[in-house]
Amino acid sequence: MRAPRLPAWTATLTWKAAVFIAVMCCALAALLGILVHVSVTGQTVNDSREKALARLTDVTRLYEAGEPLPRFAGVDPPGLPPSLHALAVRGERGTVVADDRGRPTMWAAGPADGRALAVRVDYTQSAETIDALDRSILGSSVLAIGATLLVGAFAVTRVTRRLHLTAQVARRISAGDLDARVDDPRTKDSSRPQDEVATVSGALDTMASSLQSKLQSEQRFTADVAHELRTPLTGLSAAAELLPEGRPSELVRDRVRAMRGLTEDLLEISRLDARNETVDLAVHELGPLAERVVRASGTETEVRVVRDTTVETDRRRLERVLGNLIANAHKHGAPPVVLTVDGPVVSVRDHGPGYPAYLLESGPQRFRTESGGKGHGLGLTIAVGQAEVIGAELVFARAADGEGAEARLRLPEYVSLVEQPETGGTEPRHTAHRHTKGT
């Protein structure tokens, strides 16, 4: 039988610190309470014992002088503990605390002609004093533990709040927000003492700044190279068109077109990396739009519209995404290639070997392909970037039956709500509502 799983909040640093503080406070309170209890109880018992022995000495003199004994003394009195009676009969003196008719009593006894001469001292006040002390110790310990927990939780929460902020910034950076910073005030003043959290925050900010600088340099380099290549490629393309017809001319034109396509892809990726793209949103019927993309691709792609819907999106960018998915399916997959529209979800499925493992795990990677060297791995990268720009979710997976690859694009759906008029003679009003992206 498996042990029950603890809630997730029990793994937090705040919970662990609270448990540690509570355990340490309880242990310290218990130790101090025991020490105080033992010390006060010992002193109280010693005082009562000395008082009882002093009375026993006085009573012994009265007994030896043959004078009457006071009420608190007697020979073999009733209620005398047997252990103390046996000790006195053996000729020794001793004391013991015991109940005498329901009251705590300090007994002292000594030998008297083979019997036990004993005196009793009321121990009620001393016992009540010890009980009151124990209650005070317990109450003070509870208050001290509560106050310590509150102060400790406040201190730990301040630390964990800073750690959570650092973790949130790290997640934003990993998601692509390179401008995110912790900006811990403790890291801005070098003369100010820094704790471990401030050190981690400062290291994260430094790493983010360095990473941002390097990525921006690479983006600028890619964009500059692509821009510089456009001019000579334009001239080369024009020159290639002037070549006489023949196989060499066709090869030159084909390579020039490939280089121009690669240059345009690099420029598009650099713009996507810069994250400064603007979106031109409009309402479109998804089925007809998908059919136009397939016709424009010039490929043998089957279109299935299970359920048509209306979406609010950037038509140009959506066509770019679908066009790249269709081209990738024909280039790296195998026929038949099927594009299916099912509500706001568009899927492109082929019957080839399927996506490689690295792509399913971490997404498409630039200039990496496992299809015999065809392509540059930029088509799917652009599709992912454009899908993110229009607020869509693009997922790569194996087909449900295990044969081929399937890319599923979920778009923000646009729903038109028609309100019925309350009175006749008026036209119905049309209002629009845009759903957020689903998961």
Side-chain angles (χ1 to χ4, degrees):
M1 183 177 179
R2 297 180 60 183
R5 188 174 181 179
L6 296 175
W9 56 267
T10 58
T12 60
L13 181 60
T14 303
W15 165 254
K16 293 179 179 179
V19 171
F20 175 77
I21 293 173
V23 171
M24 294 303 297
C25 287
C26 291
L28 183 59
L31 178 61
L32 292 177
I34 291 173
L35 291 176
V36 173
H37 174 82
V38 170
S39 176
V40 174
T41 301
Q43 183 176 358
T44 302
V45 171
N46 288 335
D47 293 342
S48 298
R49 181 181 292 114
E50 292 177 359
K51 183 178 180 180
L53 290 176
R55 286 189 176 184
L56 179 61
T57 300
D58 296 337
V59 169
T60 300
R61 293 196 189 97
L62 295 176
Y63 177 78
E64 292 175 350
E67 297 182 3
L69 300 179
R71 290 181 301 173
F72 57 81
V75 177
D76 294 337
L80 180 65
S83 58
L84 186 58
H85 180 273
L87 182 66
V89 170
R90 289 198 305 267
E92 300 180 12
R93 302 176 67 184
T95 59
V96 68
V97 178
D99 285 341
D100 180 25
R101 288 168 291 186
R103 297 175 65 88
T105 302
M106 172 68 74
W107 288 93
D113 300 328
R115 295 184 296 176
L117 177 61
V119 298
R120 58 180 178 272
V121 176
D122 188 11
Y123 195 70
T124 302
Q125 185 176 0
S126 299
E128 291 177 351
T129 300
I130 295 175
D131 291 341
L133 176 65
D134 292 340
R135 288 193 297 270
S136 299
I137 292 175
L138 180 60
S140 301
S141 299
V142 171
L143 291 176
I145 292 173
T148 305
L149 278 176
L150 290 176
V151 175
F154 174 75
V156 173
T157 301
R158 292 188 62 188
V159 176
T160 54
R161 188 183 300 114
R162 294 166 58 197
L163 289 175
H164 284 308
L165 175 61
T166 304
Q168 290 174 1
V169 171
R171 285 191 289 267
R172 289 172 55 190
I173 293 173
S174 64
D177 184 7
L178 299 181
D179 293 324
R181 297 292 186 274
V182 180
D183 287 333
D184 194 322
R186 297 167 182 79
T187 62
K188 297 181 179 180
D189 187 1
S190 58
S191 62
R192 185 176 180 179
Q194 297 185 9
D195 56 9
E196 289 78 3
V197 180
T199 302
V200 173
S201 302
L204 179 63
D205 287 348
T206 302
M207 180 198 70
S209 299
S210 176
L211 180 62
Q212 183 181 33
S213 177
K214 291 180 180 179
L215 289 179
Q216 289 177 346
S217 297
E218 292 179 0
Q219 292 169 6
R220 285 194 298 268
F221 174 77
T222 302
D224 291 344
V225 169
H227 276 292
E228 293 298 326
L229 285 175
R230 295 182 74 177
T231 300
L233 282 175
T234 301
L236 186 60
S237 177
E241 295 297 330
L242 299 178
L243 294 175
E245 296 297 331
R247 180 60 180 168
S249 301
E250 293 179 1
L251 292 176
V252 171
R253 295 191 188 101
D254 180 69
R255 292 299 87 194
V256 170
R257 283 194 295 269
M259 290 184 64
R260 291 190 66 177
L262 176 60
T263 301
E264 295 299 328
D265 287 347
L266 289 174
L267 281 172
E268 187 169 357
I269 287 178
S270 66
R271 289 193 295 267
L272 291 173
D273 288 340
R275 295 180 179 273
N276 55 6
E277 295 281 272
T278 57
V279 182
D280 183 15
L281 294 179
V283 179
H284 301 278
E285 296 291 333
L286 188 56
L289 188 150
E291 293 174 351
R292 287 197 302 270
V293 173
V294 171
R295 287 196 300 269
S297 67
T299 59
E300 295 292 333
T301 302
E302 179 184 356
V303 179
R304 299 176 183 174
V305 180
V306 178
R307 180 172 65 91
D308 199 3
T309 188
T310 304
V311 295
E312 185 180 16
T313 187
D314 188 323
R315 181 180 61 83
R316 180 184 65 83
R317 297 183 188 277
L318 177 57
E319 290 176 349
R320 176 66 160 160
V321 174
L322 296 180
N324 282 15
L325 295 179
I326 294 172
N328 182 81
H330 283 279
K331 181 181 295 186
H332 303 294
V337 176
V338 181
L339 184 149
T340 304
V341 177
D342 188 0
V345 179
V346 182
S347 61
V348 178
R349 186 255 174 98
D350 64 68
H351 291 75
Y355 292 118
Y358 80 86
L359 191 147
L360 296 176
E361 293 176 0
S362 56
Q365 299 180 15
R366 304 172 188 180
F367 298 103
R368 178 174 179 178
T369 178
E370 296 185 2
S371 56
K374 295 186 296 180
H376 304 282
L378 298 181
L380 294 183
T381 302
I382 293 174
V384 171
Q386 294 289 12
E388 182 180 355
V389 171
I390 62 178
E393 180 186 13
L394 180 58
V395 178
F396 301 98
R398 299 190 185 277
D401 55 7
E403 296 181 1
E406 183 178 19
R408 291 188 295 271
L409 180 69
R410 180 181 292 273
L411 295 159
E413 188 172 7
Y414 183 92
V415 179
S416 178
L417 302 178
V418 180
E419 298 179 358
Q420 297 296 333
E422 297 181 357
T423 59
T426 59
E427 295 295 329
R429 293 181 298 143
H430 297 270
T431 59
H433 174 68
R434 179 180 178 181
H435 287 273
T436 58
K437 183 176 71 172
T439 56

